Amino acid sequence: MQVSRFGIGGLLGVTALTLFFAAGTPAMSKDTPQQEKLKPETIEFFESKVRPLLFQKCFGCHGEKQQMGSLRLDSLAHIMKGNSGGPAVVAGKPDNSPLIQVVRYDGKVKMPPAGKLSNEEIATLTQWVEIGAPWPGSKPIDIKATDPTKIDKSSLWSLRPVKKPTVPKVKNKAWATTPIDAFILSKLEQKGLTPSPSLDRRNLLRRVNYDLIGLPPTPEETTAFLNDKAPNAYEKVVDRLLASPQYGERWGRYWLDVARYADTRGYNFVSDPVYHHAYNYRDWVVQAVNEDMPYNLFVKYQLAADLMPLGDDHHNLAALGFLTLGRRFLNDIVLITDDRIDTIGRGLMGLSLACARCHNHKFDPIPQKDYYALYGVLASTREPDPPVIISPKELRDPYEAYLKKLVGDERERDNLTLEQVALQRTKKETLSKAIQNTLQFLREGAIPNDTEFSVLFPAFAEPAKNRINALKKEIAELKKAPPKTPEFAHTVEEQLPAFDPYVFIRGNQNNRGEKTTRRFLTALGGSDTDPYKKGSGRLELAEDITSASNPLTGRVFVNRVWMHHFGNALVRTPGDFGLRGELPTHPELLDYLTARFTEEGWSLKKLHKWILLSNTYKQSSENNPKAFLIDPENRLVWKQNRYRLDFESLRDSLLNASGQMETKIGGASVDVLSAPYTKRRSVYSFIERQNLPGLFRTFDLATPDSSTPQRFRTTVPQQALYMMNSPFMVEMARGMATRPEFSIMTSPEAKVKAAYQLLFQRP
């Protein structure tokens, strides 16, 4: 199971592996994996994680050309055939699977023999077996779906140009007051269905509050809205919420899911595990959303802020956290770059680009050369060390001058010390027992520590002594009164000359294939004859991705915004707009919103208003038996979907009810899980990538390991148990009970009524 040669130890390992398999493993039966219709996320997991791992570590000795131990692992059929002892994998049962047992190094047989897989690699294989050992393409597939060069690009709906369709005519014109309503109603009328009644004003206010700021309205806001009889009363509420600084905290968190944000590097033993300035990226996202930065500019900054005009204020450099704050894979640049390509592909364009790392994409029009064209762009960058200062000039300049002076003085002091140490080494006959011993223990060119320095210093020349003492005094004075520390960010910069890309045959960087150029995807207009010419090409890539002529970027973003307002997206695979993804339920509506979104300045706040002011959004979530029989999944949007609050809204609502929630915007990440409990909003949680806390997993927080287009929604006992038993809940309940407005009430009935108004905005 190793690409490199085995040698004697490897042959012994193969023999042992053969005996191990022969010792008795379950034969193919009910445990054989079911490979019928795989979910897009399952396919993506296999193609981006499992297949590359099997290729790199296993196929060399258990592949097409040789099968040591009579074992072949390069297809599902061969894995399930195994060898004389039975299958290599028991689907769903990693502990019973010989493949997993040998890579764990648990018994006598240890594979690969040249060295144990990393914990992360073992976990990947274990997870693959746990979910049934899926192997996409295990059934015959049409050649058109396996060879990107033979796919008719026009056959993939998401690659067709966005054209603004005509708003359809409908019968119920009184209900279809917006274009969105007309598109939705048109499909309902075709099925003989009618939309659900509008939600009552009290609950509509609660819905839109949670949607836009992640918090319930106050009793005062509820009363004011119920008493406002103006025709635009609801629109005024929407405008007020969009102008709230809490809006950026709510919608910025959605973007952090896409950007796989975390405050740590993940599995890592070779460098500092913490991203100390990651929060500046989070704060940049929140600010950009609050300012309604055009989405195309929002994306460009995150890919190439260092190559764009910045002026005196460099805070936009923090946007580059989109590239830099991913996993670090023990600083393996190939895997780091792969993660960035995957985040750009699925996060921005709904394409599983990482599936083309080892071979042409099995389903979408993405040749392997396209992957390495982007690899060349991203590999032509580096991360500045130390991190870059992003504060305004008036804060940046004094700090940089201070550092320059401090570092210069320290360097001069050290250089003088080294000169004097070198001088003493030439005077050995005149030196005392003590100085000679100290010199002997010093490495050549090493700066003495404090103890060594005190021994050597008396032997220094007087001018050097005086200068060193003066420098030490200057340094001490500088450190006494440093200027205000500015903010820093994890960024990238050009690494020139740029990397000339070539295909890694089967994903192995040591196995060169044909050359390619740094350029955009061929399916979207890129070609080897039209390469990027400006440095790495990263700015040109950003411009191509955010071009209005790119049909994917706008569609993907509009689809996600719709998803967050309705619970389901128009394309129900928001991270996959390829052939294995779902078709849009309302393609004309998606294109109408996308065209309008790009035409009117890529404004997220405008997009919100178009959706929130529609009667489609205002529908109740009550069931309609007739509609349910025809459309049980509510794909036609005949009602609003009901779904529970996410973790952030749940926790923030509890803080809000207790009267203790802090309203400060931005700042360093905080631990929200340990007592004494912080009162900051949940968006400011410290996210530990390697060991994501159990509570976050219980409430379906997005995994920071990769770009998350949509969170899971589960209902499990642990959620209810947390609400009943956690010390945090007890503290929040006590806080609510001691709110000043409750303390002055003497009647239990009055307190109960006030509590219902506070918590649920109703009697």
Side-chain angles (χ1 to χ4, degrees):
M1 293 176 63
Q2 182 71 12
V3 172
S4 59
R5 297 185 188 88
F6 268 142
I8 296 298
L11 292 174
L12 289 173
V14 170
T15 304
L17 180 62
T18 304
L19 293 173
F20 181 83
F21 272 73
T25 40
M28 288 178 64
S29 62
K30 62 182 180 180
D31 294 317
T32 301
Q34 300 299 310
Q35 301 292 319
E36 295 174 0
K37 184 176 181 182
L38 299 178
K39 294 181 179 180
E41 56 266 28
T42 303
I43 296 171
E44 180 188 335
F45 169 67
F46 179 83
E47 296 292 358
S48 63
K49 301 291 191 301
V50 180
R51 194 193 294 271
L53 177 56
L54 291 173
F55 165 75
Q56 293 174 1
K57 304 295 184 179
C58 305
F59 291 176
C61 297
H62 302 283
E64 180 182 3
K65 294 184 178 180
Q66 63 175 331
Q67 299 87 43
M68 289 188 171
S70 300
L71 179 63
R72 185 169 175 178
L73 299 173
D74 60 348
S75 75
L76 181 66
H78 288 114
I79 285 176
M80 298 314 298
K81 178 182 177 182
N83 57 16
S84 59
V89 160
V90 181
K93 300 178 181 179
D95 292 340
N96 296 339
S97 298
L99 176 66
I100 302 303
Q101 294 175 30
V102 298
V103 299
R104 286 175 175 169
Y105 275 38
D106 285 341
K108 293 182 179 179
V109 181
K110 296 176 172 59
M111 289 286 158
K116 187 178 180 182
L117 300 179
S118 70
N119 291 340
E120 186 175 24
E121 290 170 332
I122 295 172
T124 294
L125 290 177
T126 302
Q127 182 183 351
W128 173 62
V129 175
E130 281 178 343
I131 63 176
W135 193 292
S138 59
K139 289 186 176 182
I141 300 174
D142 191 319
I143 185 63
K144 290 184 178 180
T146 59
D147 186 350
T149 63
K150 296 183 180 179
I151 291 179
D152 178 7
K153 297 180 180 63
S154 64
S155 67
L156 183 55
W157 71 269
S158 60
L159 295 180
R160 297 170 191 158
V162 176
K163 295 182 180 179
K164 192 174 183 180
T166 303
V167 178
K169 294 181 180 179
V170 293
K171 297 175 184 177
N172 188 355
K173 296 180 180 178
W175 189 84
T177 57
T178 70
I180 289 175
D181 298 329
F183 283 106
I184 295 296
L185 186 58
S186 175
K187 285 189 175 288
L188 290 175
E189 289 181 343
Q190 290 172 22
K191 296 290 185 179
L193 299 178
T194 57
S196 296
S198 295
L199 193 63
D200 64 273
R201 284 167 65 93
R202 188 185 302 273
N203 281 307
L204 178 62
L205 180 66
R206 185 176 170 87
R207 174 187 291 171
V208 74
N209 257 71
Y210 270 116
D211 268 10
L212 288 183
I213 66 171
L215 292 168
T218 65
E220 295 76 18
E221 290 168 344
T222 303
T223 300
F225 178 58
L226 294 177
N227 292 334
D228 190 345
K229 305 304 180 185
N232 66 338
Y234 173 65
E235 184 176 3
K236 288 190 292 185
V237 167
V238 172
D239 288 336
R240 172 174 58 81
L241 293 173
L242 289 173
S244 166
Q246 295 168 329
Y247 158 74
E249 294 175 316
R250 173 64 164 168
W251 281 81
R253 179 60 252 188
Y254 288 139
W255 185 257
L256 297 181
D257 287 5
V258 174
R260 43 71 170 118
Y261 173 85
D263 292 281
T264 63
R265 299 171 188 268
Y267 188 75
N268 172 72
F269 296 108
V270 295
S271 58
D272 189 342
V274 177
Y275 288 123
H276 293 282
H277 312 289
Y279 66 89
N280 279 317
Y281 171 69
R282 179 205 62 216
D283 290 351
W284 180 88
V285 169
V286 170
Q287 181 181 345
V289 172
N290 270 332
E291 293 175 351
D292 199 23
M293 179 181 288
Y295 180 68
N296 57 345
L297 184 60
F298 178 74
V299 170
K300 281 181 68 174
Y301 274 130
Q302 293 179 79
L303 296 175
D306 58 311
L307 304 175
M308 297 166 64
L310 295 173
D312 288 339
D313 188 351
H314 290 185
H315 85 280
N316 282 325
L317 287 173
L320 293 166
F322 181 80
L323 293 177
T324 57
L325 297 180
R327 288 192 296 167
R328 285 309 163 117
F329 309 96
L330 297 177
N331 286 345
D332 185 324
I333 189 61
V334 175
L335 297 180
I336 291 172
T337 306
D338 179 73
D339 170 67
R340 292 172 179 175
I341 292 173
D342 178 61
T343 303
I344 290 170
R346 294 191 301 119
L348 303 181
M349 297 184 290
L351 292 177
S352 50
L353 300 178
C355 292
R357 176 183 165 195
C358 301
H359 48 73
N360 291 340
H361 201 292
K362 293 295 184 182
F363 308 106
D364 298 338
I366 307 170
Q368 194 179 11
K369 287 182 67 175
D370 276 16
Y371 175 93
Y372 288 100
L374 300 186
Y375 184 96
V377 172
L378 295 172
S380 300
T381 65
R382 62 185 175 198
E383 296 176 52
D385 187 25
V388 171
I389 299 175
I390 59 171
S391 294
K393 185 178 177 63
E394 56 268 22
L395 194 60
R396 186 171 69 248
D397 285 356
Y399 189 81
E400 288 180 337
Y402 162 78
L403 278 185
K404 184 177 180 180
K405 176 63 175 170
L406 179 63
V407 171
D409 283 358
E410 289 176 336
R411 186 177 293 118
E412 184 182 352
R413 175 203 61 197
D414 292 344
N415 286 341
L416 276 171
T417 301
L418 285 173
E419 288 176 9
Q420 294 299 304
V421 168
L423 183 63
Q424 304 315 311
R425 292 184 193 277
T426 65
K427 300 180 176 179
K428 290 186 179 180
E429 69 284 353
T430 62
L431 298 178
S432 67
K433 180 119 169 126
I435 293 179
Q436 287 188 24
N437 288 341
T438 302
L439 286 172
Q440 182 178 347
F441 283 107
L442 277 176
R443 301 188 316 276
E444 193 69 33
I447 298 171
N449 60 32
D450 289 344
T451 302
E452 294 163 341
F453 183 85
S454 64
V455 172
L456 294 172
F457 189 70
F460 287 0
E462 285 302 317
K465 282 185 184 178
N466 295 337
R467 183 55 183 154
I468 290 174
N469 283 331
L471 287 168
K472 290 176 69 174
K473 185 176 180 182
E474 284 183 28
I475 292 168
E477 291 298 319
L478 282 170
K479 290 183 175 179
K480 278 184 186 176
K484 185 177 179 181
T485 303
E487 293 291 351
F488 299 82
H490 301 280
T491 64
V492 296
E493 62 186 9
E494 296 286 79
Q495 178 167 284
L496 301 176
F499 175 71
D500 289 324
Y502 53 88
V503 170
F504 297 172
I505 297 177
R506 296 188 178 180
N508 183 353
Q509 68 267 33
N510 297 317
N511 197 356
R512 289 196 175 210
E514 60 181 317
K515 290 185 176 180
T516 184
T517 55
R518 296 184 303 279
R519 54 166 174 77
F520 200 35
L521 304 173
T522 51
L524 294 171
S527 70
D528 281 337
T529 59
D530 188 25
Y532 291 147
K533 300 179 176 65
K534 301 175 183 175
S536 69
R538 192 159 33 90
L539 180 57
E540 293 164 282
L541 173 63
E543 290 167 345
D544 280 336
I545 289 175
T546 58
S547 169
S549 63
N550 179 351
L552 288 170
T553 305
R555 278 185 179 131
V556 168
F557 186 68
V558 166
N559 185 61
R560 289 207 183 115
V561 174
W562 182 277
M563 175 184 70
H564 291 307
H565 283 309
F566 287 90
N568 284 320
L570 296 171
V571 179
R572 294 196 172 194
T573 51
D576 188 355
F577 274 41
L579 286 170
R580 299 290 289 190
E582 291 201 23
L583 295 173
T585 57
H586 297 75
E588 296 85 4
L589 172 58
L590 179 60
D591 272 14
Y592 174 86
L593 289 174
T594 303
R596 191 174 175 188
F597 176 63
T598 56
E599 288 170 2
E600 299 191 26
W602 302 75
S603 166
L604 174 56
K605 290 188 176 182
K606 285 183 180 180
L607 179 58
H608 281 307
K609 287 195 68 173
W610 301 335
I611 294 173
L612 297 176
L613 297 183
S614 70
N615 285 320
T616 302
Y617 175 80
K618 297 174 189 175
Q619 292 179 102
S620 74
S621 56
E622 296 300 318
N623 188 39
N624 178 329
K626 176 185 176 183
F628 181 79
L629 286 174
I630 296 174
D631 179 26
E633 293 184 340
N634 194 27
R635 288 176 175 267
L636 298 176
V637 200
W638 49 267
K639 67 169 185 174
Q640 257 286 12
N641 293 297
R642 178 178 290 171
Y643 50 94
R644 68 166 176 79
L645 296 178
D646 57 23
F647 171 77
E648 291 89 347
S649 292
L650 172 64
R651 181 180 173 277
D652 293 350
S653 294
L654 294 170
L655 285 170
N656 186 63
S658 74
Q660 303 176 75
M661 188 178 74
E662 292 183 17
T663 58
K664 175 188 173 184
I665 304 294
S669 299
V670 293
D671 176 7
V672 303
L673 304 179
S674 305
Y677 296 107
T678 180
K679 305 307 186 292
R680 303 222 62 199
R681 287 198 72 174
S682 304
V683 69
Y684 301 113
S685 302
F686 185 91
I687 305 297
E688 164 60 68
R689 173 174 272 122
Q690 181 64 22
N691 299 299
L692 193 67
L695 183 64
F696 288 172
R697 294 194 297 270
T698 294
F699 284 96
D700 304 321
L701 199 77
T703 173
D705 278 346
S706 59
S707 180
T708 302
Q710 183 176 19
R711 294 186 186 182
F712 294 108
R713 290 199 185 101
T714 63
T715 302
V716 294
Q718 292 91 330
Q719 295 165 356
L721 292 171
Y722 176 81
M723 299 297 287
M724 290 189 290
N725 301 327
S726 75
F728 176 75
M729 285 296 302
V730 174
E731 184 174 317
M732 294 302 100
R734 286 178 176 152
M736 178 179 166
T738 56
R739 286 178 66 127
E741 59 265 45
F742 289 171
S743 300
I744 62 174
M745 296 178 183
T746 57
S747 164
E749 292 82 359
K751 289 185 178 182
V752 169
K753 290 180 179 179
Y756 265 75
Q757 287 289 353
L758 175 68
L759 295 174
F760 309 116
Q761 300 81 52
R762 62 178 172 84

